[in-house]
Amino acid sequence: MEKITVTTKVNAPVDTVWAYWTSPEHITKWNAASDDWHTPHSSNDLREGGVFTSRMESKDGSMGFDFSGTYNKVEEGALLSYAMEDGREVEVIFTPEGNSTLVKETFDPEQTNPVEMQKGGWQAILDNFKKYVESKI
């Protein structure tokens, strides 16, 4: 199956965008696809071979899951590549564009949900990230 790509342009410098993307204290503030979900806790061992986990839950407590993976490549301020627990690969590229940063996330789709639904969910999280970062600077 073909990879899925989502992108956003964040009106903040790349060092700020990188810090907000990789720091657990920030991840818990933006990592949700909709207002009825949240990430109550997150951990991130930001190095090749390091593991990250974000606990994603519905705010009413009816469902939740751990989103986790292991980093294959970490290039500070530029690239994150990781494998999710199910083996699917994800690559996140941070490209400076003046005082803004283009964030491009490419991932292997899973087989359960339609591609458009997966793309929509990942794009919603990315849009939430942009909104969070821009509200803090």
Side-chain angles (χ1 to χ4, degrees):
M1 197 177 272
E2 195 171 311
K3 291 182 179 290
I4 299 172
T5 299
V6 293
T7 61
T8 194
K9 187 173 185 178
V10 182
N11 295 311
V14 72
D15 57 339
T16 300
V17 171
W18 178 266
Y20 280 46
W21 187 272
T22 58
S23 302
E25 63 269 23
H26 292 297
I27 294 168
T28 58
K29 305 287 192 289
W30 60 261
N31 190 33
S34 62
D35 290 340
D36 54 346
W37 278 74
H38 67 146
T39 299
H41 46 87
S42 176
S43 63
N44 193 14
D45 183 6
L46 190 61
R47 61 181 176 85
E48 290 177 18
V51 174
F52 69 88
T53 301
S54 293
R55 179 67 189 172
M56 301 175 81
E57 296 179 354
S58 59
K59 288 182 178 175
D60 68 7
S62 64
M63 62 182 85
F65 62 93
D66 289 330
F67 181 81
S68 59
T70 303
Y71 290 110
N72 300 321
K73 197 169 195 180
V74 176
E75 294 176 12
E76 188 169 341
L79 171 82
L80 290 172
S81 171
Y82 62 88
M84 291 185 267
E85 285 187 323
D86 64 6
R88 293 183 297 133
E89 299 282 329
V90 179
E91 182 179 78
V92 187
I93 299 171
F94 302 84
T95 306
E97 293 187 353
N99 281 340
S100 296
T101 304
L102 181 67
V103 180
K104 179 180 174 185
E105 199 170 13
T106 304
F107 61 97
D108 293 327
E110 40 96 345
Q111 305 299 314
T112 309
N113 295 298
V115 167
E116 283 308 311
M117 181 181 172
Q118 294 177 64
K119 184 173 186 173
W122 285 58
Q123 184 67 56
I125 293 170
L126 199 53
D127 292 346
N128 210 32
F129 172 73
K130 171 186 171 67
K131 186 171 76 176
Y132 173 73
V133 174
E134 291 178 355
S135 76
K136 297 295 178 192
I137 56 170

